[in-house]
Amino acid sequence: MRTFEISTSFWEPITLSLQVSIAATAIAFVVGLLVAWRMSAASFYGKTLVETVFLLPLVLPPSVVGFILLVVLGKNSWIGQAAERLFHISFVFQPLGAVVAAAVVSFPLIYQTLKSGFLEVDKHLKDAARSQGAGEWQVLIYIVLPLAARSLQAAFILGFARALGEFGATMMIAGNIPGRTQTIPTAIYFAVDAGNQQLAWALTGCTILFSFGLLLISSRLRNDR
């Protein structure tokens, strides 16, 4: 019985964390790609201010990000009420809340990495494509994305690693419900709090292996550029 409990307590957070991280990274990646593409080519008054807002989740305490999400998406907000009334979905104490929290905190890393990659693409190649009648979407798909492929890969990996390690914002909006919203970081915290050092070390070791592998792949992509 004890072995089963440890096994369940070990695998459930890992499975949920991977599902949440993949979903969150996919969302943040798509949004980050579109925004980075527009911002890399845009020039307007207040651009620095807008980009500062995009990067805020990178420097704000995760608990602050979680509190803001709780206010914006909670049951008392118009967004939360509309989502529940129209789509029958809720963000608070739900896996969806964990996905949103992880997507928000991973977005700045993805955005910054993609933007840097887009800016490194030779401007003359883009201008040449436009002079041949290519539209902006064609320039992005056929010129920019292939040439910035390594930046795309690095952005996804870094975003996934950040989403995997998210704790504070997830706790604020999704809570810590075993088998439902308990991710690896929250499981480690409560395992330590409960004095279950064996489970805490097992989850910690798993996280270190995941993170080490992701950073190693990201470093190799950067060095191969």
Side-chain angles (χ1 to χ4, degrees):
M1 184 65 177
R2 178 63 177 170
T3 303
F4 173 77
E5 289 178 355
I6 293 176
S7 177
T8 302
S9 300
F10 177 74
W11 288 112
E12 281 186 345
I14 291 176
T15 302
L16 181 62
S17 286
L18 291 175
Q19 292 172 343
V20 167
S21 298
I22 290 172
T25 307
I27 294 170
F29 185 84
V30 172
V31 175
L33 189 150
L34 297 176
V35 174
W37 168 239
R38 289 301 182 187
M39 293 298 288
S40 64
S43 179
F44 57 90
Y45 181 77
K47 179 180 178 180
T48 302
L49 180 62
V50 173
E51 288 196 303
T52 301
V53 173
F54 289 158
L55 298 177
L56 264 181
L58 192 63
V59 295
L60 283 176
S63 57
V64 174
V65 177
F67 174 70
I68 294 173
L69 289 175
L70 190 60
V71 172
V72 173
L73 302 176
K75 294 182 181 295
N76 294 325
S77 71
W78 69 267
I79 296 178
Q81 292 175 353
E84 195 162 357
R85 185 164 53 250
L86 298 176
F87 305 106
H88 306 290
I89 60 174
S90 176
F91 297 94
V92 181
F93 300 126
Q94 299 292 335
L96 183 59
V99 171
V100 173
V104 169
V105 298
S106 64
F107 173 81
L109 275 176
I110 293 175
Y111 167 77
Q112 195 72 355
T113 305
L114 289 175
K115 184 188 170 190
S116 298
F118 292 164
L119 289 174
E120 289 180 1
V121 176
D122 192 341
K123 184 176 181 296
H124 296 93
L125 293 175
K126 293 183 285 187
D127 291 339
R130 293 186 183 103
S131 68
Q132 296 298 316
E136 290 303 308
W137 285 109
Q138 291 175 310
V139 172
L140 173 64
I141 294 172
Y142 296 109
I143 303 296
V144 176
L145 293 185
L147 293 177
R150 294 195 183 279
S151 292
L152 268 66
Q153 295 168 350
F156 192 91
I157 291 171
L158 290 174
F160 181 83
R162 180 65 186 88
L164 189 67
E166 167 48 33
F167 173 74
T170 301
M171 274 289 294
M172 290 291 290
I173 191 169
N176 177 61
I177 306 173
R180 187 175 182 85
T181 64
Q182 187 181 69
T183 57
I184 294 176
T186 57
I188 292 173
Y189 178 85
F190 282 94
V192 173
D193 188 57
N196 192 343
Q197 297 291 325
Q198 182 181 4
L199 178 60
W201 273 114
L203 291 170
T204 297
C206 183
T207 305
I208 291 173
L209 287 175
F210 271 130
S211 301
F212 181 82
L214 291 170
L215 289 175
L216 183 62
I217 294 172
S218 177
S219 297
R220 287 187 173 182
L221 289 175
R222 289 181 178 181
N223 293 333
D224 289 343
R225 289 174 63 178

